[in-house]
Amino acid sequence: MKKLSLLGSTGSIGTQALQVVQNLREQGEKWEVAALAARSSVNRLEEQARKFHPEVVAVFDEGAALSLRQSLRDTDIQVLSGMEGLCEAAAWPGADLTLNAVVGMVGLQPTLAALQAGKALALANKETLVAGGAIVMEAARKRNLPILPVDSEHSAIFQCLQGCPERGALKKLVLTASGGPFFGRSRQELAGVTREQALRHPNWDMGAKITIDSATMMNKGLEVMEASWLFDLPEHRIEVVVHRESVIHSMVEYQDNAAVAQLGVPDMAVPIQYALTYPRRMPSPAGELDLCALGKLTFYPPDREAFPCLELCREALRRGGLVPAAANGANEQAVALFLEGKIGFLDIPRLVEAAMDRQDPGVVTLEAVLEADREARAFVAGAAH
């Protein structure tokens, strides 16, 4: 019997994770959902709770939690709220594995709570490692706990590294990027793009924030930072290649220049399921890859002038300390403002760079990371008015 605590259950990754659990159950696997958590989508969370019967649900929004408590009063499901509730769900005693699929910095404290409670961690919340990589990896090392990557790129690298004979055999990582909806456009052509245009991702169905990050290529920059922590490699040994088809999810290159790639149709069911069942391989709901129908695979270098967020993330990683936390916080605030129509598309990298320049690397502690995040958000919010 495996028991899962799922944070971010109503989002894109969370809903697919529950589908994966259901699929595994139908194959005779013994899976239970011990805890569910979401930000505020109480209607969907109630549906999930009634279907999967967790011991506890947590809602970050206090008002939404009150509403859900009323809706579930005919059940014995406990309803928690706020950051404290998210952390309690992450560390829930009845769970063996915690899957953190929340979006943004809100995921950092629940990640630490899960690790401190001795839980194996499946991680889809990249901001956890971007902002607090040093303290998160130390918490995992101290307790000898696995961090199983769920992002398709990091899962691909993790899968490719299963055949790595020794640490010194690895030469570099290659992260693939779809290029988003604006591939091929110049910086000038991006000046007037709209919210609706930026939300039209060509290959993946994701939430609004991650889709905008893909459009700016900030998402790939965050993934470079995440990969650096997960696989303990410096920034210069992590390459990014634009691969429009999103079939090669990423690859590794060894010292003998052999490259090993993980391929598959663009479907998050595979990386989610691999994190849940590792090291076993099980039938999944993802479709088979038909290379003949696909016909060709294409590759391009990223356009650093049109999409400066990628290089800004590299620079944040090189500066280290609290600078990545400031870059991430500034980006989250800037994306929210762009989605509200309050700033332009190209204002996102401009504000991220300005917030980075204001941040001293300092010493990384949880309190310092949270403060750097708050200051960066406040700066961006003020600069936008």
Side-chain angles (χ1 to χ4, degrees):
M1 175 68 70
K2 281 251 191 158
K3 293 189 176 183
L4 175 69
S5 172
L6 174 57
L7 313 183
S9 68
T10 61
S12 175
I13 297 295
T15 54
Q16 292 177 81
L18 290 174
Q19 290 168 5
V20 166
V21 168
Q22 185 61 34
N23 184 66
L24 289 170
R25 284 176 166 184
E26 290 168 3
Q27 295 178 55
E29 295 288 302
K30 294 181 178 178
W31 274 89
E32 284 187 10
V33 177
L36 292 172
R39 178 180 288 274
S40 59
S41 302
V42 291
N43 291 337
R44 180 173 284 185
L45 189 53
E46 182 187 352
E47 289 175 13
Q48 293 173 342
R50 291 187 181 279
K51 180 174 181 179
F52 289 93
H53 310 290
E55 298 167 33
V56 64
V57 295
V59 189
F60 185 67
D61 182 277
E62 302 276 358
L66 190 61
S67 170
L68 185 62
R69 202 169 280 122
Q70 285 294 108
S71 301
L72 291 176
R73 65 185 181 277
D74 62 320
T75 74
D76 59 356
I77 299 171
Q78 186 177 346
V79 179
L80 308 173
S81 63
M83 179 57 75
E84 186 178 335
L86 284 188
C87 291
E88 194 172 340
W92 194 248
D96 308 300
L97 172 70
T98 297
L99 169 51
N100 188 347
V102 305
V103 176
M105 259 292 289
V106 70
L108 175 58
Q109 291 178 77
T111 286
L112 290 170
L115 292 172
Q116 287 158 3
K119 307 297 179 185
L121 180 69
L123 190 61
N125 172 248
K126 60 177 63 68
E127 293 84 358
T128 280
L129 290 178
V130 167
I135 50 179
V136 170
M137 297 308 292
E138 177 60 25
R141 269 194 298 270
K142 193 178 290 184
R143 294 161 183 83
N144 196 29
L145 294 168
I147 297 181
L148 303 162
V150 175
D151 274 348
S152 63
E153 295 83 358
H154 302 92
S155 174
I157 290 167
F158 180 66
Q159 292 177 60
C160 292
L161 287 174
Q162 299 309 305
C164 186
E166 58 196 23
R167 172 73 189 172
L170 181 62
K171 183 177 180 181
K172 67 179 179 181
L173 310 179
V174 183
L175 296 174
T176 54
S178 70
F182 303 134
F183 172 75
R185 295 202 193 186
S186 68
R187 188 172 177 81
Q188 292 72 25
E189 290 172 323
L190 292 174
V193 300
T194 66
R195 174 187 189 276
E196 290 68 31
Q197 290 170 324
L199 287 171
R200 290 181 202 140
H201 195 280
N203 299 335
W204 294 96
D205 179 17
M206 305 176 289
K209 192 267 181 183
I210 298 174
T211 305
I212 299 301
D213 282 350
S214 179
T216 63
M217 289 201 74
M218 184 75 180
N219 201 45
K220 205 53 51 178
L222 297 176
E223 287 174 7
V224 169
M225 290 196 265
E226 185 182 4
S228 177
W229 285 110
L230 275 173
F231 305 111
D232 193 23
L233 283 181
E235 168 269 331
H236 68 271
R237 289 174 63 187
I238 305 170
E239 187 180 334
V240 172
V241 173
V242 177
H243 167 53
R244 294 295 284 163
E245 296 80 11
S246 295
V247 167
I248 294 179
H249 298 303
S250 279
M251 50 190 157
V252 302
E253 188 173 307
Y254 291 109
Q255 293 293 349
D256 58 2
N257 293 327
V260 177
Q262 189 261 325
L263 286 72
V265 296
D267 190 324
M268 285 302 298
V270 173
I272 292 168
Q273 182 169 293
Y274 193 62
L276 298 188
T277 64
Y278 175 78
R280 293 187 305 148
R281 297 276 187 178
M282 305 286 295
S284 91
E288 281 190 39
L289 178 63
D290 187 338
L291 289 173
C292 294
L294 188 66
K296 64 177 181 178
L297 302 174
T298 57
F299 306 93
Y300 308 89
D303 185 338
R304 298 183 182 190
E305 182 186 355
F307 303 98
C309 283
L310 175 57
E311 190 55 38
L312 286 174
C313 287
R314 288 188 176 278
E315 179 60 29
L317 187 55
R318 288 192 291 265
R319 292 187 200 174
L322 299 168
V323 178
N328 180 72
N331 178 68
E332 284 192 32
Q333 185 65 47
V335 168
L337 292 169
F338 173 71
L339 287 168
E340 293 166 10
K342 294 179 179 176
I343 64 171
F345 187 76
L346 293 182
D347 288 324
I348 297 174
R350 177 180 65 78
L351 291 167
V352 168
E353 183 173 20
M356 285 171 51
D357 289 343
R358 297 174 76 254
Q359 180 63 55
D360 183 80
V363 178
V364 178
T365 64
L366 176 59
E367 295 73 21
V369 167
L370 296 176
E371 181 60 25
D373 176 72
R374 278 192 295 268
E375 288 186 2
R377 290 170 191 269
F379 167 74
V380 170
H385 289 302

